[in-house]
Amino acid sequence: MVFFRPDRPGYGENPYPELERLRRTEPVHWSANLGAWVLTRYAECEQVLLDAETFSADPADGAGQAGERVAAHRAAMPLGDAPILGHTDGPDHARLRGVVNRAFGARAIAAREPGIRRLVAELLERVTPGRPFELMDGLARPLAAMTALQHFGLPPARREGFHAAALAVMRARVDGLSDPAAPRAAEAAAGYILETLDEAAPPWAGGGSTLAGELARALDAGELSAAEAVMLLVHIGLAGNGPTAMALGHAVAALAMHPDVAAALAAGSLGAAAVIEETLRWDSPTHSVPRFARRDAVVGGRRVRAGQRLLVMIGAANRDPERFADPDRFDPRRTGPRHLSFGVGMHYCLGAPLARAELAIALEELVRRFGVPRVVEAARGGTLEVRGFERLVIAPREPGELEG
């Protein structure tokens, strides 16, 4: 009998033995307790992510009462009928993504790198040299949020207010039926965000396209409705911050576990970008991605019924020995297949170029200042979909100190 219980103690700390067992014994597994098919092999994970016609990203396409509740909730909420990019497939997804793609192109990211370096330097200036440093609140989370706001091109005076407004809009999307105040707050927040877009700089003002500038241009051209523009800005503004912060935590923890890699990075014989890519494969913050079958389908020889939920286990796919040689080994110099941490196909992560730049810059600067790090204290958090460190205290390694 095969079981998958990610709620058991210890899974969040190290899920990979459990995922390896499941991949070996039943790579397409029906989990009654999760009410979902659990996919742990790279081939099936890639198949489902690539086939957006058969496997929907929208939870409203789930079977029975679960999907009906999502649809009913949206109908009752302000902006509820406005699509969220991550939950939209087909022509609507292509249209919405086409509006904002340029803001995440190579030229836009290159223009943002000096600002990211300044943010990292400012945050690390608060660290007392030689003393333990809490990475997640001290650098990872504020850097992710501040980089996003800077990249969006929002007027500086509006940035703090935008974050609160975005949370209000999403709160109504999530639990507005149980909180009578949430819909009213979302309406006010949407108005604030539209005012913010009115004040946004043109797309190429100051060098580099900005998200707010592209949305303002699309609104003026009639390519987007006001509700669509608000939801695009809200979703993109909130969706990537947590995983990006967690990825930095995972990268630093990996360096602490592999001091030879940290020493090579500090010496310049290994690039930070390579360390980030291997971290994303070896310990992805995006642990699983849900999909919903639009029609009956066959996945890995198993019959999936229309409306059933599938959990694409990114953490398992990235350690599939059929795709990655010696997959449990942390090796930033490896070559071969790409990991699935940013997805694949239509829903490939829009913000991946920005996240990669931000993570590499932050890791370079951390190693320059701290050298080879050691972990003083660590506590994990997150969910089945996104996992990472809630708290990670690091310190410089003492001269001559040895670790694993």
Side-chain angles (χ1 to χ4, degrees), residues 117-134:
R117 291 189 184 279
R118 286 193 295 272
L119 285 175
V120 172
E122 289 169 9
L123 289 166
L124 289 180
E125 283 299 320
R126 305 171 189 176
V127 178
T128 303
R131 301 289 298 170
F133 164 50
E134 204 289 295

Side-chain angles (χ1 to χ4, degrees), residues 65-160:
Q65 293 183 352
E68 292 170 2
R69 280 196 299 269
V70 172
H73 186 106
R74 289 178 184 171
M77 289 300 107
L79 306 177
D81 59 348
I84 291 179
L85 188 64
H87 294 166
T88 306
D89 300 305
D92 272 346
H93 182 90
R95 176 177 62 86
L96 295 173
R97 188 161 179 142
V99 168
V100 296
N101 263 339
R102 191 168 67 166
F104 292 91
R107 182 179 173 188
I109 302 306
R112 209 61 56 215
E113 289 183 1
I116 296 173
R117 291 189 184 279
R118 286 193 295 272
L119 285 175
V120 172
E122 289 169 9
L123 289 166
L124 289 180
E125 283 299 320
R126 305 171 189 176
V127 178
T128 303
R131 301 289 298 170
F133 164 50
E134 204 289 295
L135 181 82
M136 301 310 294
D137 281 341
L139 177 64
R141 280 189 278 264
L143 177 64
M146 292 163 70
T147 297
L149 292 174
Q150 182 187 75
H151 182 68
F152 290 176
L154 302 179
R158 290 269 184 175
R159 290 175 184 175
E160 185 174 343

Side-chain angles (χ1 to χ4, degrees), residues 53-340:
E53 290 187 5
T54 304
F55 303 103
S56 170
D58 190 349
D61 288 329
Q65 293 183 352
E68 292 170 2
R69 280 196 299 269
V70 172
H73 186 106
R74 289 178 184 171
M77 289 300 107
L79 306 177
D81 59 348
I84 291 179
L85 188 64
H87 294 166
T88 306
D89 300 305
D92 272 346
H93 182 90
R95 176 177 62 86
L96 295 173
R97 188 161 179 142
V99 168
V100 296
N101 263 339
R102 191 168 67 166
F104 292 91
R107 182 179 173 188
I109 302 306
R112 209 61 56 215
E113 289 183 1
I116 296 173
R117 291 189 184 279
R118 286 193 295 272
L119 285 175
V120 172
E122 289 169 9
L123 289 166
L124 289 180
E125 283 299 320
R126 305 171 189 176
V127 178
T128 303
R131 301 289 298 170
F133 164 50
E134 204 289 295
L135 181 82
M136 301 310 294
D137 281 341
L139 177 64
R141 280 189 278 264
L143 177 64
M146 292 163 70
T147 297
L149 292 174
Q150 182 187 75
H151 182 68
F152 290 176
L154 302 179
R158 290 269 184 175
R159 290 175 184 175
E160 185 174 343
F162 166 77
H163 187 70
L167 288 174
V169 170
M170 290 307 294
R171 192 173 297 118
R173 294 281 296 225
V174 173
D175 57 13
L177 291 179
S178 61
D179 180 1
R184 293 193 298 274
E187 288 180 350
Y192 179 89
I193 292 169
L194 279 174
E195 291 173 3
T196 300
L197 286 175
D198 281 342
E199 298 176 13
W204 292 96
S209 176
T210 68
L211 179 62
E214 295 293 348
L215 291 175
R217 180 201 59 75
L219 270 173
D220 289 343
E223 298 171 10
L224 288 177
S225 70
E228 287 173 336
V230 168
M231 285 311 305
L232 272 170
L233 193 58
V234 167
H235 174 66
I236 297 171
L238 297 179
N241 292 353
T244 301
M246 289 176 176
L248 183 57
H250 284 183
V252 173
L255 290 183
M257 293 173 64
H258 303 87
D260 57 324
V261 173
L265 179 59
S269 60
L270 179 66
V275 175
I276 293 301
E277 288 306 308
E278 178 66 347
T279 298
L280 290 167
R281 183 202 67 82
W282 188 69
D283 199 11
S284 173
T286 302
H287 192 59
S288 69
V289 174
R291 289 291 184 265
F292 304 86
R294 286 195 168 97
R295 52 181 176 264
D296 289 1
V298 175
V299 180
R302 305 296 297 272
R303 174 68 65 179
V304 176
R305 301 296 181 186
Q308 287 185 324
R309 186 167 69 118
L310 304 95
L311 287 177
V312 177
M313 302 304 296
I314 301 297
N318 284 347
R319 292 203 186 195
D320 185 346
E322 293 183 7
R323 283 299 179 108
F324 301 97
D326 197 5
D328 293 329
R329 180 166 59 93
F330 184 77
D331 179 11
R333 292 185 171 88
R334 74 168 63 239
T335 58
R338 282 300 192 108
H339 58 75
L340 295 179

